[in-house]
């Protein structure tokens, strides 16, 4: 199945949005477009598996604070069609225990993927990351202090116990 939204219509922000749901699985979908994001995940746990995610207005995948998100065997590409100045493949801000495995992330306007904003125990492994405008993987990107959890991360570290291996 293909779910597609335009990148040019304000108010059609996300092609697919997981708001207050939990324990969701998205499998074998093609998610295209969105004014901001092809997929935005606000709550976890969530599994995104065997999907093709591309052609977003900004980030292909946005994870603002959702924990236990797993993205596996996905192809993610062509971010930032509307605004390439801040357009990641996967942008995780303070989402703990994110797992990204066996994905092909390519042709990204800025960073391929990163856990930041105080992400704890995220794992990035066995991915092929190509043709990114900035970094392939970043684990040291700063975020505004409002995004950090002062109880779990009083030192405001960008990442804590995150691992990138075999990419």
């Amino acid at each position: 199945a293909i779910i597609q939204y335009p990148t040019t219509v304000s108010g059609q922000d996300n092609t697919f949005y997981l708001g207050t749901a939990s324990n969701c699985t998205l499998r074998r979908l093609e998610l295209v477009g969105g004014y901001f994001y092809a997929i935005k995940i606000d709550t976890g746990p969530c599994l995104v598996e065997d999907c093709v995610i591309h052609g977003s207005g900004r980030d292909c995948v946005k994870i603002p604070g959702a924990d236990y998100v797993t993205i596996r065997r996905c192809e993610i590409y062509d971010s930032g069609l509307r605004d390439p100045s801040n357009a990641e493949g996967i942008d995780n801000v303070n989402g703990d225990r994110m797992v990204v495995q066996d994905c092909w992330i390519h042709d990204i306007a800025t960073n391929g993927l990163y856990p930041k904003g105080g992400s704890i125990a995220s794992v990035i492994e066995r991915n092929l990351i190509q043709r990114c405008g900035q970094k392939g993987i970043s684990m040291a990107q700063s975020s505004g202090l409002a995004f950090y959890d002062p109880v779990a991360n009083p030192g405001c570290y960008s990442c804590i116990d995150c691992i990138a291996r075999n990419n």
Side-chain angles (χ1 to χ4, degrees):
I2 298 172
I3 303 171
Q4 186 167 2
Y5 255 35
T7 59
T8 56
V9 180
S10 179
Q12 295 185 351
D13 295 348
N14 315 299
T15 300
F16 201 100
Y17 176 60
L18 288 171
T20 59
S22 67
N23 293 311
C24 293
T25 298
L26 282 75
R27 186 175 286 131
R28 293 185 299 276
L29 294 172
E30 184 172 353
L31 306 172
V32 184
Y35 187 77
F36 287 111
Y37 315 121
I39 180 170
K40 183 178 181 194
I41 303 169
D42 277 346
T43 58
C46 175
L47 172 63
V48 179
E49 186 173 69
D50 301 314
C51 292
V52 178
I53 304 165
H54 64 97
S56 58
R58 284 185 54 187
D59 304 334
C60 286
V61 180
K62 181 70 167 187
I63 305 169
D67 298 336
Y68 298 101
V69 173
T70 298
I71 301 171
R72 182 181 301 134
R73 295 187 307 271
C74 293
E75 182 180 5
I76 300 169
Y77 65 98
D78 276 349
S79 67
L81 297 185
R82 181 186 55 78
D83 178 5
S85 68
N86 181 6
E88 277 64 55
I90 301 172
D91 185 356
N92 171 2
V93 182
N94 199 18
D96 297 339
R97 293 165 188 81
M98 173 185 74
V99 175
V100 179
Q101 296 173 319
D102 305 311
C103 293
W104 182 24
I105 301 170
H106 61 95
D107 300 295
I108 300 298
T110 53
N111 298 296
L113 73 148
Y114 54 23
K116 66 177 186 174
S119 179
I120 298 171
S122 290
V123 177
I124 300 164
E125 61 186 356
R126 301 186 310 267
N127 301 287
L128 176 59
I129 303 162
Q130 299 175 300
R131 297 182 300 278
C132 298
Q134 295 178 7
K135 300 171 194 80
I137 298 171
S138 178
M139 291 185 163
Q141 189 74 24
S142 64
S143 296
L145 291 178
F147 296 105
Y148 290 86
D149 180 345
V151 174
N153 184 5
C156 293
Y157 294 104
S158 188
C159 288
I160 300 171
D161 296 327
C162 292
I163 298 170
R165 61 181 166 219
N166 300 317
N167 292 286

